[in-house]
Amino acid sequence: MPFSEGAFESTMPAALFSLRGRRALITGAGQGIGLMLARGLGMAGAEVVLNDKEPARLDQAVAMLRREGLAVEGCVFDVTDEKTIAIGLASLGRGEFEVGGGIDILINNAGIHQRAPLELMSTAAWQAVLDVNLTSAFLVTRGVVAGMLQRGSGKIINICSLNSEISRPTIANYAAAKGGLKMLTRAMAVEWGGRNVQTNGIAPGYMRTEMTDVLTVDPVWERLICARTPAGRWGEPRELIGAAVFLASRGADFVNGQIITVDGGLLAAL
Ligand code: NAP
């Protein structure tokens, strides 16, 4: 229900950005950005389901967040495999929240890189990156959104990239996937906006994670990113929490089809 004059208390920032009573699913959350967003949403009050395809890593992540006092659980599935997605979501459903795993907030975060010069790129590397970074968001969202539509509310957040806008050599597969994810975000926003399900994206700049290890250990890249970014440094995954909590919250009920770039200003600079 949109805010009304009579509901002033619910527009106070603490209530506006609270995720209490909401259940979130974050894909690829065994480490990196997904794990940090699980912590952030959990601290904002959400019950968080962490997904990854690696059970041991997922168990560790869940145990760590539980020790921090957060309400989290793990759900193993491969985001490219519709059968295991369906089994995973079915295992989450309960009571009135049977459909789509009872998820109120979905963050499509799982992603991979397989770098190669485009003229030498294998079909397998092209397809794998498209599958994990783009098709997965279609598959997982399709599994989850039925419940959101049934309940008449939901938030979907797709983790896009600066490469949704710009590219560089050796990452054509990744740029094509992330560009596609930006448009899938808009398509979802248009498709379900009339039924109170908002879909937005976050485009992180260069963040220190396992995925970018290959760049951070290279002094040339390390310097290049710092010089290219107006903030003069790499970002930390925790710096994405603010955008994620905002987009997942009632504060963003009228925000739909947008990509929030969190990059220290890189995309604005020549
Ligand atoms: P990361 O540290 O590599 O974490 C990604 C997680 O996703 C890993 O745990 C990975 O498991 C998991 N995953 C991969 N394929 C999966 C699958 N098929 N099913 C389920 N889980 C799967 O990467 P990150 O840096 O946190 O990146 C998270 C997201 O942010 C990605 O979409 C990435 O493209 C995006 N992003 C990152 C940056 C950055 O600077 N780090 C910038 C822009 C956008 P495995 O390790 O076993 O594959």
Side-chain angles (χ1 to χ4, degrees):
M1 195 206 334
F3 298 131
S4 69
E5 296 79 7
F8 185 72
E9 271 178 19
S10 64
T11 66
M12 299 297 278
L16 205 52
F17 300 114
S18 169
L19 302 181
R20 204 160 296 284
R22 308 280 169 91
R23 193 181 205 201
L25 168 64
I26 305 177
T27 66
Q31 65 179 29
I33 290 171
L35 174 56
M36 189 56 79
L37 295 184
R39 177 179 282 129
L41 265 59
M43 289 175 76
E47 177 190 322
V48 184
V49 180
L50 284 76
N51 152 265
D52 209 289
K53 68 181 193 319
E54 190 58 56
R57 179 188 295 160
L58 191 58
D59 286 348
Q60 272 184 9
V62 167
M64 182 175 73
L65 295 187
R66 281 191 180 150
R67 282 196 299 275
E68 295 173 20
L70 302 176
V72 296
E73 62 184 302
C75 185
V76 177
F77 58 80
D78 181 331
V79 295
T80 66
D81 177 352
E82 29 188 328
K83 281 205 188 95
T84 67
I85 295 170
I87 293 167
L89 292 177
S91 75
L92 295 174
R94 58 177 185 225
E96 59 178 312
F97 297 126
E98 199 60 56
V99 180
I103 300 300
D104 305 296
I105 300 160
L106 169 64
I107 303 188
N108 287 308
N109 166 79
I112 57 167
H113 253 300
Q114 288 192 18
R115 299 173 177 88
L118 183 52
E119 69 275 18
L120 302 175
M121 189 176 284
S122 68
T123 310
W126 172 268
Q127 197 58 54
V129 169
L130 266 288
D131 285 348
V132 179
N133 294 277
L134 175 59
T135 307
S136 67
F138 160 64
L139 294 176
V140 178
T141 305
R142 192 180 56 182
V144 164
V145 78
M148 294 179 172
L149 295 172
Q150 198 178 71
R151 292 190 298 281
S153 74
K155 305 280 187 188
I156 299 162
I157 301 169
N158 294 324
I159 302 302
C160 299
S161 168
L162 295 183
N163 302 124
S164 298
E165 303 295 337
I166 54 177
S167 190
R168 62 184 171 79
T170 74
I171 62 156
N173 48 359
Y174 186 81
K178 292 296 187 179
L181 188 59
K182 176 183 74 173
M183 281 314 299
L184 181 61
T185 301
R186 292 182 179 157
M188 289 175 173
V190 169
E191 191 99 19
W192 300 315
R195 287 183 275 175
N196 199 31
V197 173
Q198 293 84 37
T199 309
N200 292 286
I202 296 174
Y206 285 88
M207 304 281 161
R208 289 185 195 280
T209 67
E210 305 272 327
M211 180 182 268
T212 52
D213 260 1
V214 62
L215 303 178
T216 49
V217 295
D218 177 343
V220 176
W221 259 100
E222 173 76 16
R223 276 197 301 276
L224 180 81
I225 296 304
C226 293
R228 182 85 171 73
T229 306
R233 63 175 176 82
W234 285 66
E236 300 296 337
R238 64 183 151 70
E239 294 180 290
L240 299 167
I241 290 175
V245 170
F246 166 61
L247 290 177
S249 76
R250 295 183 61 235
D253 278 355
F254 203 51
V255 180
N256 200 16
Q258 301 304 306
I259 311 295
I260 298 185
T261 302
V262 183
D263 69 345
L266 193 157
L267 203 56
L270 186 63

